[in-house]
Amino acid sequence: MKKLRKKIIAGNWKMNKSTAEAQALAQEIVKELAGCSEADVVLCPPFTALKVVGDVISQTSIKLGAQNMHWEGEGAFTGEISASMLRDLYCWYVILGHSERRTCFGETDDHVNRKVKAALAATLLPIVCVGETLKEREAGQTEAVVKRQLEGGLAGLGAGELAKVVVAYEPVWAIGTGRTATPEQAQEVHAFIRKVLAGLASEEAAQTVRIQYGGSMKPANARDLLTQPDIDGGLIGGASLDARLFVEIVRQAM
Ligand code: PEP
C-alpha cells in the first residue's frame, strides 16, 4: 500500500540573516528554482525576515515556514508568536520540537504536542523534529527515544490530522557537526518511525506522512539519503544558508 510521497526540502535558517541578507538569499533561490514543482521547497527564516522572504516567494511555488510558535492563540506571553500570526504572514509550515529548542529552551514532548495541535487548528503544517543524542544511540536507545517523542508530540491526533504532519528525523549527533547518518542508518529509523505512526493512527495515514532526514545534509550526501524508500525529504540547516548548496540539494530530490 505504498503511496507516492512528494519530496519536501526545507531550509532552517535558524538565528541567521538580517532582513536584507534574507531577501538576497531568497531571491537567489527563487532565481534558480523558478518553475520547480517536482519537490516541495520551504524556507524557514527567522521571524524578523518572514515578511521580506514571503514577499520574494509570493509568486512562486516555494512556501514559507517558521521555526517555532507558541500554542496559545494570544495574550500575555512576552516574546512569543502565535499560529495565527504566522498564518497572517502567509506561513504554510512551522518547525516544532527542534532539538535546539528541546535542549536550549526546555521544550518537552507535551509542549510539542500543544504546539502541533494549535498549528493544525490554524491550518499550519507542522514539521515535527525527533531524534536521539549520541549517548542515547550508543546506549541502544534510538528507537525508544524516537517512539517516546512521536507518541508524546503527536498524542491525540486523528488519522486525518496526522497525515498532514511532516516528521523530521534529526539525529542530534548529526546536526551541525558534519557527521551524517549513513543512508542505511537513516532508512532504518525512518522505517521505524513509519511503523510507530501506523500504530498511532492507521497504515494509510503513516504511508502519507512525509519523513525528512536532517543532520549535515549537503549536495554530496543528499542523493544517497533521498533515494532511500522511507526518506521523503530533508530539513537543512547549515547548507540552507548558501543558495548554491541549498538549490543543489533540492535538485537531488527531483
Ligand atoms: C537542523 O538544524 O535542522 C539541521 C539539520 O542542521 P544541519 O543541516 O546544519 O546539520
Side-chain angles (χ1 to χ4, degrees), residues 10 12 14 95 98-100 129 168 170-171 174-179 213-218 234-240:
N12 173 11
K14 308 194 184 189
I95 299 170
H98 189 281
S99 70
E100 287 151 16
C129 303
E170 299 208 304
I175 296 178
T177 59
R179 213 180 137 180
Y213 168 80
S216 299
M217 194 187 267
K218 36 191 180 290
L235 181 54
I236 322 297
S240 72

Side-chain angles (χ1 to χ4, degrees), residues 9 25 28-33 36 39 41 43 217-224 226 234 236 239-254:
I9 305 291
L25 177 55
E28 265 190 85
I29 292 169
V30 163
K31 198 169 90 195
E32 291 298 321
L33 292 177
C36 148
V41 178
L43 302 183
M217 194 187 267
K218 36 191 180 290
N221 59 28
R223 190 173 300 281
D224 285 346
L226 292 167
I236 322 297
S240 72
L241 297 171
D242 180 318
R244 195 180 50 80
L245 298 179
F246 183 69
V247 165
E248 192 48 44
I249 294 172
V250 174
R251 296 216 165 99
Q252 313 267 341
M254 293 181 185

Side-chain angles (χ1 to χ4, degrees), residues 81-148:
I81 301 272
S82 73
S84 63
M85 290 169 175
L86 297 179
R87 287 299 288 145
D88 193 37
L89 287 170
Y90 302 102
C91 282
W92 279 58
Y93 291 89
V94 61
I95 299 170
L96 297 176
H98 189 281
S99 70
E100 287 151 16
R101 302 248 14 122
R102 294 177 190 260
T103 310
C104 308
F105 304 102
E107 269 190 25
T108 64
D109 293 330
D110 177 58
H111 294 151
V112 175
N113 186 237
R114 293 181 198 209
K115 291 179 182 199
V116 167
K117 287 176 175 161
L120 288 169
T123 67
L124 261 180
L125 302 173
I127 298 176
V128 178
C129 303
V130 298
E132 81 288 0
T133 63
L134 186 57
K135 202 166 151 214
E136 289 162 341
R137 174 163 280 264
E138 286 175 347
Q141 294 168 347
T142 300
E143 292 194 349
V145 169
V146 165
K147 186 165 190 274
R148 190 196 68 223

Side-chain angles (χ1 to χ4, degrees), residues 130-209:
V130 298
E132 81 288 0
T133 63
L134 186 57
K135 202 166 151 214
E136 289 162 341
R137 174 163 280 264
E138 286 175 347
Q141 294 168 347
T142 300
E143 292 194 349
V145 169
V146 165
K147 186 165 190 274
R148 190 196 68 223
Q149 290 173 335
L150 289 169
E151 288 178 348
L154 304 176
L157 300 193
E161 289 176 309
L162 191 87
K164 293 183 187 140
V165 171
V166 175
V167 173
Y169 169 57
E170 299 208 304
V172 179
W173 48 271
I175 296 178
T177 59
R179 213 180 137 180
T180 321
T182 64
E184 296 72 26
Q185 276 174 327
Q187 166 57 27
E188 197 181 355
V189 182
H190 280 235
F192 174 74
I193 289 172
R194 210 175 293 289
K195 202 169 89 189
V196 175
L197 296 176
L200 281 176
S202 65
E203 179 62 27
E204 196 184 1
Q207 288 296 334
T208 307
V209 172

Side-chain angles (χ1 to χ4, degrees), residues 47 68-71 77-82 85 101 115:
F47 291 136
N68 181 34
M69 53 164 262
H70 192 58
W71 57 81
F77 300 99
T78 303
E80 294 292 336
I81 301 272
S82 73
M85 290 169 175
R101 302 248 14 122
K115 291 179 182 199

